[in-house]
Amino acid sequence: MRREECAVETIKLEKTYKNGVKALKGVSFCIRVGEIFSLLGPNGAGKTTTVKILSTLIKPSGGTAYVGGYNVVEESSKVRKIIGIVPQDLTADDEMTGYDNVYVQARLHGLSRNEAKKKTEEVLEFMGLLEAANRKARTYSGGMRKRLEIAMSLVHSPRLLFLDEPTLGLDVQSRRHLWDLIRKLKMEGTTILLTTHYMEEADALSDRIAIIDLGKVVALGSPEELKARLGGDRIYIKPVLNQDLISIKERLERKGYEVSILNGEVIVKVKKAEDSLFDIINLLRDSKISSLRISKPNLEDVFLELTGRKLRDEEPLDSFRYRIHSMRVRR
Amino acid sequence: MMRATLVLLVRELKKWFGRKPVLVMSLLTPVLWIALFGKSLNLTNMLMPPGSLEGISPEMMKILEEMVTARLIELFGTTDYFTYISSGMLVVFAVFQGMFSGISIIFDKRLGYMDRLLVAPIPRLSIWLSKILAVAVRVTLLSLLLLAVSLLLGMNLKEGIGVIDLLASWSYIVLLAMTIASLYALLSFYADNQEIVFAAGNLLNLPLMFTSSAMFPVEQMPDWLQKLASANPVTFAADLVRYHLIGRPVGDYTAELVKLVVIALVMLVVSGWASLRWMNNR
Ligand SMILES: Nc1ncnc2c1ncn2[C@@H]1O[C@H](COP(=O)(O)OP(=O)(O)O)[C@@H](O)[C@H]1O
Ligand SMILES: [Mg+2]
């Protein structure tokens, strides 16, 4: 029943741990070859459990999963050959050097001594760890350790890469750095499964996202599709003179836009702000506008709408609300 | 299988050699034991008639001395306890080293490295096997060192000892070490903290050592202890090694050898099977 186009396919995956915790209650999704697919959900949603099953570390209690076309239970050794995994918890050996940590992985994946040496140096350089290669992993900083984990998981050039909360605990700079790296790997053709509870991360990186909560997928689609469920973007237009509000509203309404007025601003509800902006600016070229801004719903809002709860306790960074200040539209 | 095992074995040994202070201490411990324990217990002197006993004729004294010597030879196979104990120490330290398979497994589990190994495309049995073989290699190196030190301190090997004797002794010591390593490996896969392994070590090591012929001859033990000793693989290994190294006669060579090998095989099979089961059923 498995589908050819899926690099990873899970069918009604269930996991009940030995202590009785039901971590997964029927998770189904398909990761297409070459895409970045995210599992987005709060702590305890079942993201790590899913990744562990897909990487053959634990067995599902129900359902099936295929990775690269192989059944994760019956053909686990074939699965292990083609995947690379960066687990949520660190796995490098403190007492070994960075070099040895990576080299042992290369050898375990069947590379010859020479190949292993070459590839080890290559990935260490790629991850910016060549200088620290001969130091014990114990002496590495948090960001370096994460990069070492990634080096360990890339040394055999896997077709599929699983990254479980890769940017957890990293500073902003390291996080951006890692995002670039993930995009680069995608460009090289690697299929990537990413788990995160940062909605900015899922939004910025993913081709498609499965929002997961309490062991179930509650929504699946591209970031745009998910956000479109909330009825799209809003464009806020502030005229220089308040008396222009009505005429602006009417002009837009005549063109079929959904418009309202609130707090001295005209609000236009559109599917995708980028697609309508030019048209709206064009319509308003004779009006004196003092400012114009776009508001996009974010995945936090989507999660809230779907589950009635917040994705995480802290307030998310407001990075997807941009403003276009004092944009004057003339003539 | 062998390839992955070898890679992992090299990793174990590299880590062992990489920690210089630990290496030095683990080499020094048995040396000190042999030097201090073996030398401070001088049975021949202890068993001589007390100095306060007066009026013994020289003939009588000679008879007494001959009695003591005969009894010592009967029990120890030598008049020199140091030779007896240092050959036993080789076996005792094989037992002590067995624990390191467990410690290494516990640490790999704790550090998450075990998860790395479990997602690597290797036969999972090689993870277990590398731990057992690492103990075998450690024991080999330690035994060579111990033997060298013992010889320096005056251990007397049997006359006309040959390469076969040395090789046989080595195999029995390593076989015993792997038996014990299997036990700790099994325990450590299922235990979720390292204290269990240390506690088991404290619980098992002394009884294993003293209910065997490694330190003292079985023949002079009380009945119940003799029964225990005659089921203890440490006894078989000690008896066989002594036969080859210092020439102490062994009751039934073949029987002891068979028992040692059977116990070792059973432990290895059970441990390997159970460890694999733990790895595959999570
Ligand atoms: N080894 C385990 N034993 C028992 N329960 C577990 C285990 N691992 C995770 N859980 C539980 O399963 C649920 C899902 O956990 P997890 O998959 O780690 O979520 P996430 O990665 O999304 O934070 C949680 O309730 C967690 O407490
Ligand atoms: Mg997790």
Side-chain angles (χ1 to χ4, degrees):
Chain A
M1 271 191 310
R2 78 189 167 70
R3 289 176 284 163
E4 285 299 324
E5 72 273 20
C6 302
V8 173
E9 185 176 12
T10 71
I11 303 161
K12 300 205 180 85
L13 217 48
E14 285 173 26
K15 177 68 185 181
T16 308
Y17 281 108
K18 291 197 176 101
N19 61 1
V21 174
K22 267 186 175 282
L24 300 182
K25 303 169 190 162
V27 166
S28 305
F29 57 77
C30 158
I31 304 180
R32 295 180 193 138
V33 176
E35 76 175 341
I36 300 182
F37 186 92
S38 291
L39 289 176
L40 173 69
N43 278 327
K47 304 182 295 294
T48 298
T49 303
T50 308
V51 172
K52 281 187 173 171
I53 290 173
L54 293 178
S55 51
T56 76
L57 205 51
I58 60 176
K59 282 182 179 163
S61 336
T64 28
Y66 298 95
V67 170
Y70 302 119
N71 186 304
V72 291
V73 177
E74 277 137 38
E75 298 164 293
S76 55
S77 55
K78 284 180 180 153
V79 171
R80 286 182 211 134
K81 283 204 180 89
I82 57 169
I83 59 169
I85 160 159
V86 180
Q88 183 174 345
D89 302 316
L90 298 174
T91 62
D93 188 333
D94 274 355
E95 293 297 327
M96 295 201 294
T97 62
Y99 183 93
D100 282 348
N101 264 302
V102 178
Y103 179 81
V104 168
Q105 284 305 311
R107 293 286 288 152
L108 292 180
H109 276 91
L111 275 66
S112 72
R113 279 196 189 86
N114 281 334
E115 281 171 339
K117 185 166 176 289
K118 203 169 127 255
K119 280 293 284 184
T120 299
E121 281 161 10
E122 202 179 295
V123 263
L124 283 172
E125 171 149 37
F126 186 59
M127 295 309 303
L129 286 172
L130 210 48
E131 241 134 70
N134 290 320
R135 272 168 40 199
K136 291 202 168 165
R138 165 159 48 82
T139 67
Y140 283 18
S141 70
M144 287 165 82
R145 293 210 53 160
K146 205 78 205 189
R147 280 184 277 147
L148 177 59
E149 293 288 334
I150 299 173
M152 286 167 78
S153 64
L154 286 181
V155 73
H156 58 292
S157 323
R159 257 158 59 196
L160 279 132
L161 187 62
F162 301 158
L163 297 142
D164 195 1
E165 309 242 14
T167 61
L168 193 65
L170 291 191
D171 57 57
V172 177
Q173 203 192 341
S174 310
R175 183 175 300 177
R176 296 285 155 167
H177 191 81
L178 198 55
W179 286 8
D180 289 341
L181 176 82
I182 292 169
R183 291 196 188 98
K184 214 187 281 173
L185 288 170
K186 179 198 149 112
M187 301 262 278
E188 287 168 10
T190 313
T191 305
I192 294 165
L193 167 62
L194 176 85
T195 85
T196 181
H197 67 263
Y198 296 113
M199 63 96 190
E200 307 93 322
E201 188 159 288
D203 203 341
L205 291 173
S206 319
D207 294 305
R208 290 185 315 133
I209 299 172
I211 297 182
I212 175 168
D213 186 41
L214 302 174
K216 277 193 194 130
V217 174
V218 291
L220 198 157
S222 70
E224 289 73 30
E225 279 163 7
L226 290 172
K227 285 180 285 193
R229 290 174 170 227
L230 291 182
D233 304 343
R234 283 162 182 75
I235 300 172
Y236 293 78
I237 304 157
K238 192 177 177 69
V240 176
L241 302 170
N242 262 354
Q243 66 237 37
D244 288 345
L245 281 169
I246 305 289
S247 66
I248 290 173
K249 179 173 186 265
E250 279 170 354
R251 199 175 315 162
L252 290 169
E253 266 170 350
R254 244 178 279 135
K255 284 288 180 179
Y257 284 105
E258 198 183 328
V259 192
S260 56
I261 294 174
L262 191 70
N263 297 333
E265 283 179 311
V266 176
I267 305 168
V268 193
K269 214 170 154 184
V270 294
K271 199 139 177 258
K272 200 169 174 208
E274 289 86 339
D275 297 344
S276 316
L277 205 52
F278 186 77
D279 186 44
I280 289 172
I281 291 172
N282 214 16
L283 283 171
L284 301 180
R285 64 184 177 276
D286 300 331
S287 320
K288 280 202 153 71
I289 306 291
S290 95
S291 81
L292 187 147
R293 68 189 167 89
I294 295 169
S295 164
K296 287 182 163 281
N298 61 35
L299 293 170
E300 182 74 38
D301 303 328
V302 178
F303 188 80
L304 188 68
E305 165 119 346
L306 286 166
T307 66
R309 285 178 297 111
K310 284 200 162 178
L311 202 50
R312 59 197 162 118
D313 305 330
E314 324 94 276
E315 272 305 301
L317 293 171
D318 219 3
S319 57
F320 283 91
R321 286 174 206 270
Y322 7 93
R323 283 161 187 266
I324 307 170
H325 270 298
S326 303
M327 185 173 171
R328 287 192 67 100
V329 186
R330 297 213 147 200
R331 272 190 308 120
Chain B
M1 176 81 180
M2 281 333 289
R3 205 187 120 87
T5 309
L6 203 64
V7 172
L8 293 177
L9 178 60
V10 170
R11 162 184 178 245
E12 294 285 329
L13 297 175
K14 213 166 170 181
K15 282 181 70 176
W16 188 40
F17 284 112
R19 276 171 299 188
K20 293 283 163 356
V22 179
L23 182 67
V24 170
M25 276 193 279
S26 68
L27 294 179
L28 223 49
T29 317
V31 170
L32 283 177
W33 267 65
I34 285 214
L36 298 178
F37 191 68
K39 277 292 172 189
S40 61
L41 204 81
N42 191 330
L43 287 178
T44 323
N45 277 347
M46 278 186 198
L47 293 177
M48 280 297 122
S52 60
L53 207 70
E54 280 171 36
I56 298 181
S57 63
E59 293 79 40
M60 190 66 179
M61 192 67 184
K62 201 150 180 257
I63 293 174
L64 274 175
E65 270 189 36
E66 274 169 14
M67 256 179 64
V68 167
T69 307
R71 179 67 177 148
L72 283 177
I73 294 201
E74 186 186 355
L75 282 178
F76 295 97
T78 163
T79 56
D80 163 20
Y81 182 64
F82 180 74
T83 292
Y84 181 88
I85 186 80
S86 49
S87 53
M89 274 304 177
L90 287 172
V91 175
V92 166
F93 273 93
V95 174
F96 287 1
Q97 289 294 312
M99 206 168 112
F100 283 97
S101 67
I103 292 174
S104 163
I105 288 167
I106 288 276
F107 272 95
D108 278 356
K109 277 169 65 182
R110 279 247 144 157
L111 288 176
Y113 200 82
M114 187 58 77
D115 284 359
R116 265 283 164 217
L117 296 181
L118 291 175
V119 295
I122 52 173
R124 284 179 166 172
L125 198 59
S126 66
I127 301 171
W128 169 85
L129 188 57
S130 69
K131 305 289 181 189
I132 306 291
L133 291 180
V135 166
V137 175
R138 284 172 80 127
V139 164
T140 303
L141 296 178
L142 272 177
S143 301
L144 281 174
L145 180 80
L146 263 176
L147 189 63
V149 172
S150 304
L151 290 173
L152 278 178
L153 291 175
M155 178 192 189
N156 294 307
L157 295 180
K158 78 171 176 192
E159 271 174 47
I161 187 166
V163 180
I164 297 289
D165 290 312
L166 290 176
L167 281 181
S169 306
W170 171 75
S171 346
Y172 302 148
I173 290 171
V174 164
L175 201 58
L176 178 68
M178 297 206 315
T179 309
I180 306 291
S182 301
L183 179 69
Y184 281 102
L186 169 63
L187 198 68
S188 309
F189 272 113
Y190 285 88
D192 33 18
N193 70 57
Q194 63 246 56
E195 264 150 55
I196 297 182
V197 177
F198 287 114
N202 287 334
L203 188 72
L204 287 176
N205 281 352
L206 281 191
L208 275 174
M209 187 162 108
F210 285 109
T211 65
S212 79
S213 59
M215 313 289 283
F216 306 107
V218 173
E219 292 82 351
Q220 48 81 47
M221 292 178 185
D223 244 11
W224 62 274
L225 207 54
Q226 286 203 20
K227 289 217 176 71
L228 276 180
S230 62
N232 185 345
V234 181
T235 299
F236 312 143
D239 288 353
L240 295 170
V241 167
R242 279 211 181 89
Y243 169 78
H244 284 292
L245 287 186
I246 67 174
R248 182 180 187 269
V250 52
D252 184 344
Y253 187 97
T254 322
E256 300 225 345
L257 177 58
V258 168
K259 282 193 268 184
L260 179 65
V261 171
V262 167
I263 292 179
L265 285 183
V266 169
M267 274 314 298
L268 282 164
V269 168
V270 169
S271 170
W273 173 81
S275 303
L276 207 53
R277 204 183 125 85
W278 178 86
M279 295 189 249
N280 285 334
N281 287 298
R282 299 207 303 152

